[in-house]
Amino acid sequence: MTSTKKQTQVRLAEDVLEAGKAAARARRLDFNKYVERLIIEDTTGARAAGMVAAQRLIDEHGDFLDDLEQQLDAPSEQRQPGSAA
């Protein structure tokens, strides 16, 4: 089964375009695939579901994550034995 793709044109501010291209590169995607994924995630609810899951993680484990971040940001001589390196 082959997928028929349609070509379209969008106009973006130069800084928005460059930010999008940088985000695509960071994810090792070409720009078209990156835009396609954003649209799919937004229109299928996948993005919203991911945000809900992320918020639940923060709500349930936020204190632990804050403590871990502080330990990792502390100079190595201030870290407690057995803490994250």
Side-chain angles (χ1 to χ4, degrees):
M1 180 176 186
T2 60
S3 168
T4 303
K5 300 227 176 192
K6 300 286 184 174
Q7 184 171 348
T8 190
Q9 183 178 22
V10 296
R11 297 182 191 281
L12 302 171
E14 188 173 341
D15 59 334
V16 173
L17 176 61
E18 289 309 314
K21 287 182 176 182
R25 280 191 303 274
R27 290 162 179 79
R28 295 189 173 121
L29 298 170
D30 66 59
F31 184 70
N32 288 327
K33 188 66 176 175
Y34 173 70
V35 171
E36 183 178 46
R37 280 191 181 181
L38 286 176
I39 293 169
I40 290 168
E41 288 172 1
D42 189 48
T43 59
T44 63
R47 184 173 186 83
M51 296 302 288
V52 167
Q55 187 61 55
R56 187 172 51 246
L57 177 73
I58 291 168
D59 292 345
E60 293 176 8
H61 304 288
D63 292 340
F64 170 76
L65 295 171
D66 288 342
D67 184 52
L68 181 60
E69 182 178 27
Q70 288 176 359
Q71 288 181 28
L72 292 173
D73 287 344
S76 60
E77 64 273 1
Q78 292 179 358
R79 292 189 187 144
Q80 297 177 5
S83 66

